[in-house]
Amino acid sequence: MYYTVWKSTANGNWYWNLKAANHEKIATSEGYVTKQGALHSIELVKGSNNAPVIEI
């Protein structure tokens, strides 16, 4: 798996995708005003591997 990060030409926000080894999109972020905000959110996702899954 890997992340891609890009800046939208439409609104200037930064986004990321999490992609599988076969390059299929697994997750997409919300928009962030700064690249640093997008990169920070990637780190939060990476650190959440022990978060419980709760069915609602």
Side-chain angles (χ1 to χ4, degrees):
M1 289 192 294
Y2 62 97
Y3 291 87
T4 58
V5 179
W6 76 96
K7 186 174 186 177
S8 170
T9 57
N11 63 16
N13 284 341
W14 286 87
Y15 297 87
W16 56 260
N17 286 328
L18 174 58
K19 293 195 172 186
N22 66 357
H23 312 293
E24 292 288 329
K25 213 182 302 181
I26 296 173
T28 301
S29 73
E30 63 183 356
Y32 294 89
V33 175
T34 64
K35 182 178 180 181
Q36 195 58 33
L39 294 175
H40 177 69
S41 71
I42 290 172
E43 292 305 316
L44 291 173
V45 171
K46 286 181 177 181
S48 70
N49 62 336
N50 291 325
V53 176
I54 300 172
E55 184 176 342
I56 54 173

